[in-house]
């Protein structure tokens, strides 16, 4: 069965610290997609990144970086030099490309990040 | 380019009533999905529509239904509301069925 685990419920850091949000997933499919979304207090889920199962290359986008390791079924997210505006709930999600063509997102429970000034 | 628009943003209903939520996807997006978010259950998939056809449904009772129109706009309906239906309902649209989804700000439903 597919599952996404975000073991860290809440993390507090001081501004300018680096922080890593963990994501571990389970799936039987060989083709799947992983995502990270940010949910600020306004409620909207903001898309951050999409990675397919065949692309294990790490990615960096400004202060954000992602480490995808199939061997450990992990897709971790690091924010470098955190800022107060990074405070939000972050969700990791899994989508499977089943042969039937249907898909849905399986979300983790989210990690609430608090960045203190 | 306009994002995903959900209306209304807030809604208060009484137990037993029914409610209809609306979602306008990003222009050109054909796939629309709905999710329910509650503190206890987190984000749960409700259903997905693609070109007016429901292609996938989550584990929710039949009181939850939806539809998609030819212009890709979607509505979801909840009949005989229960207190437990109080939640943030999020709509997401995507260009194709395996591309990233973009979410609206949600409709916060409170059932009293």
């Amino acid at each position: 069965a597919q599952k996404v685990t975000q073991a860290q419920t809440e993390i507090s850091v001081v501004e300018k610290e680096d922080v890593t949000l963990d994501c571990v997933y389970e799936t039987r499919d060989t083709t799947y997609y992983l995502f990270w979304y940010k949910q600020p207090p306004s409620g909207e889920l903001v898309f951050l990144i999409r990675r397919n199962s065949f692309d294990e290359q790490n990615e960096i986008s400004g202060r954000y970086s992602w480490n995808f390791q199939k061997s450990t079924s992990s897709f971790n997210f690091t924010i470098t030099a955190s800022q107060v505006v990074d405070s939000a709930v972050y969700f990791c999600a899994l989508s499977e490309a089943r042969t039937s063509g249907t898909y849905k997102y399986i979300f983790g429970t989210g990690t609430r990040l608090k960045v203190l000034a | 380019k306009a994002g995903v628009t959900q209306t209304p943003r807030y809604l208060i209903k009484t137990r037993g009533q029914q409610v209809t939520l609306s979602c306008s996807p990003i222009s050109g997006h054909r796939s629309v999905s709905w999710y329910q978010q509650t503190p206890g259950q987190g984000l749960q998939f409700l259903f997905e529509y693609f070109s007016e056809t429901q292609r996938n449904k989550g584990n929710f009772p039949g009181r939850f239904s939806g539809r998609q129109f030819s212009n890709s706009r979607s509505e979801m309906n909840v009949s005989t509301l229960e207190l437990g239906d109080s939640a943030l309902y999020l709509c997401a649209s995507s260009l194709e069925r395996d591309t990233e989804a973009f979410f609206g700000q949600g409709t916060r439903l409170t059932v009293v």
Side-chain angles (χ1 to χ4, degrees):
Chain A
Q2 62 272 43
K3 185 179 178 182
V4 175
T5 301
Q6 294 180 256
Q8 304 151 308
T9 305
E10 185 169 313
I11 300 175
S12 291
V13 298
V14 177
E15 205 170 21
K16 297 184 183 176
E17 283 187 3
D18 298 347
V19 59
T20 295
L21 309 183
D22 297 333
C23 173
V24 174
Y25 62 92
E26 295 176 29
T27 178
R28 288 174 295 184
D29 277 15
T30 55
T31 303
Y32 52 90
Y33 302 91
L34 295 165
F35 305 81
W36 275 96
Y37 284 86
K38 173 183 179 180
Q39 187 175 42
S42 61
E44 180 180 359
L45 284 169
V46 178
F47 168 75
L48 296 177
I49 190 172
R50 168 180 178 259
R51 174 67 79 230
N52 74 55
S53 53
F54 299 107
D55 181 5
E56 285 193 74
Q57 202 169 21
N58 292 331
E59 180 156 341
I60 298 175
S61 176
R63 296 184 297 107
Y64 295 170
S65 62
W66 291 269
N67 180 266
F68 176 29
Q69 291 194 334
K70 287 178 74 171
S71 60
T72 55
S73 297
S74 64
F75 186 42
N76 297 336
F77 172 32
T78 297
I79 302 175
T80 303
S82 60
Q83 300 176 0
V84 172
V85 293
D86 296 328
S87 298
V89 181
Y90 291 85
F91 290 94
C92 180
L94 165 71
S95 171
E96 296 169 325
R98 296 182 179 273
T99 54
S100 64
T102 60
Y103 85 105
K104 61 182 181 182
Y105 284 18
I106 305 299
F107 282 91
T109 50
T111 297
R112 181 178 299 278
L113 174 64
K114 292 184 177 179
V115 182
L116 309 173
Chain B
K1 194 174 187 181
V4 178
T5 304
Q6 290 189 246
T7 55
R9 290 290 311 282
Y10 302 92
L11 209 48
I12 300 176
K13 289 287 188 179
T14 305
R15 267 183 306 174
Q17 287 186 313
Q18 76 164 19
V19 67
T20 298
L21 312 182
S22 180
C23 172
S24 293
I26 292 171
S27 178
H29 285 196
R30 296 188 292 165
S31 175
V32 174
S33 300
W34 289 87
Y35 291 81
Q36 181 196 65
Q37 185 177 25
T38 60
Q41 299 299 316
L43 280 154
Q44 291 188 289
F45 172 77
L46 279 157
F47 24 66
E48 182 231 347
Y49 288 88
F50 185 80
S51 294
E52 300 179 67
T53 301
Q54 184 183 93
R55 299 302 294 262
N56 203 359
K57 191 176 192 302
N59 294 326
F60 280 83
R63 299 185 296 107
F64 291 81
S65 63
R67 58 178 175 170
Q68 186 180 32
F69 302 95
S70 58
N71 61 359
S72 293
R73 191 176 71 84
S74 177
E75 289 181 346
M76 69 162 279
N77 183 277
V78 187
S79 62
T80 319
L81 284 165
E82 301 177 359
L83 295 179
D85 296 334
S86 295
L88 179 66
Y89 289 88
L90 291 162
C91 170
S93 77
S94 57
L95 188 59
E96 295 294 341
R97 304 181 68 232
D98 62 351
T99 57
E100 58 269 22
F102 294 89
F103 285 78
Q105 288 190 296
T107 294
R108 186 165 295 281
L109 171 66
T110 302
V111 182
V112 297

